[in-house]
Amino acid sequence: MRLQGYAVLDRDAVCGLASCDAAQLAALAPGWDDLALDTYLRDGGRYRRRRHACFVQDADALVQAPHRAHWQSQDYNALHGGMHRWFEPVADATLAQPAWAGLIRGFGKLLTQLRGQSRWYVEAHQFRIDTTDGIGRPTPEGAHRDGVDFVVVLLVDRVDVKGGETRVFEADGTQGQRFTLGQPWSALLLDDARVIHESTPIQPLAEAGHRDTLVLTYRAGAFQGED
């Protein structure tokens, strides 16, 4: 992270950060089977389902914030920025899983070591990108930054799809890397000020497939739209 602005962690490393085992991470996965359709897609697509929740972390203390709209500036999201997007909240059964809080708290403590910032405003996004209509776009806005300090992208699962290649580029340079997250609960960490990122579209290998991710964003000072 310090050298390149991004890092990739395998599942064992994620388990260590979250103070949980692989079975506890796997217990989160059923929460992706009941996501609500994203009705804000400006390309008219029906390929994205999601839920959303917000938290404030201060050292070891993690408190869920009242449900709020997700907002991004058009400076960071030209396609969907400037809108208050109200997504369905993360289900209580998912929030109750020990690994859920463990993931948020564990990554927050790691990022505190990198930045020296102990209070984080965290947004958690459950995504399912499916191929029901033939193609699914994980990042319809293209290569972008999120307007936060750090982004964590965790692959929950890939089922009967090809594509979904991750691309990370220097925000102020020409260097970049391309790779595909394949191991469930592996993670990509991004310094949002230093790199831009995107994921390529997915296509089905069978009648239909999907790609599930958990995206955590960490921001100092306030949630986006509050400062």
Side-chain angles (χ1 to χ4, degrees), residues 1-220:
M1 287 288 286
R2 288 191 175 101
L3 290 175
Q4 297 181 304
Y6 75 93
V8 178
L9 279 65
D10 65 15
R11 180 174 54 204
D12 288 345
V14 171
C15 285
L17 281 175
S19 300
C20 68
D21 57 31
Q24 289 173 310
L25 287 177
L28 287 170
W32 272 254
D33 292 331
D34 186 29
L35 304 186
L37 186 67
D38 184 343
T39 59
Y40 293 94
L41 288 170
R42 282 183 164 165
D43 64 2
R46 300 180 301 164
Y47 51 81
R48 184 159 76 181
R49 296 177 178 274
R50 64 193 295 177
R51 288 181 181 269
H52 175 236
C54 295
F55 304 84
V56 178
Q57 180 176 352
D58 198 341
D60 286 329
L62 183 67
V63 178
Q64 186 173 2
H67 193 55
R68 56 181 288 110
H70 176 53
W71 186 90
Q72 290 176 296
S73 165
Q74 287 185 307
D75 293 337
Y76 297 107
N77 190 331
L79 186 61
H80 299 116
M83 293 191 293
H84 286 85
R85 290 181 284 168
W86 286 94
F87 299 113
E88 290 297 313
V90 176
D92 290 342
T94 301
L95 296 174
Q97 293 288 339
W100 179 270
L103 286 168
I104 297 174
R105 189 179 288 114
F107 280 106
K109 292 170 71 174
L110 173 65
L111 299 175
T112 291
Q113 295 177 35
L114 290 170
R115 186 60 55 86
Q117 163 72 34
S118 64
R119 186 174 180 86
W120 296 109
Y121 292 81
V122 186
E123 294 193 52
H125 305 263
Q126 293 176 282
F127 287 103
R128 170 165 288 181
I129 308 300
D130 68 40
T131 58
T132 301
D133 292 332
I135 192 170
R137 296 178 174 85
T139 53
E141 63 272 36
H144 66 284
R145 292 164 56 204
D146 285 349
V148 297
D149 288 271
F150 295 101
V151 180
V152 180
V153 181
L154 293 128
L155 177 70
V156 178
D157 204 3
R158 290 172 57 100
V159 178
D160 291 334
V161 295
K162 61 181 178 179
E165 179 185 68
T166 297
R167 299 177 177 179
V168 182
F169 308 96
E170 292 177 338
D172 297 315
T174 59
Q175 298 299 312
Q177 295 289 334
R178 303 165 57 165
F179 51 88
T180 301
L181 293 174
Q183 182 188 44
W185 297 106
S186 55
L188 168 65
L189 283 70
L190 301 163
D191 184 332
D192 195 52
R194 294 175 58 191
V195 297
I196 59 177
H197 64 281
E198 66 177 339
S199 294
T200 62
I202 59 172
Q203 296 174 285
L205 289 174
E207 183 175 349
H210 62 263
R211 178 179 182 263
D212 294 346
T213 56
L214 171 62
V215 176
L216 306 174
T217 64
Y218 292 78
R219 193 171 191 266

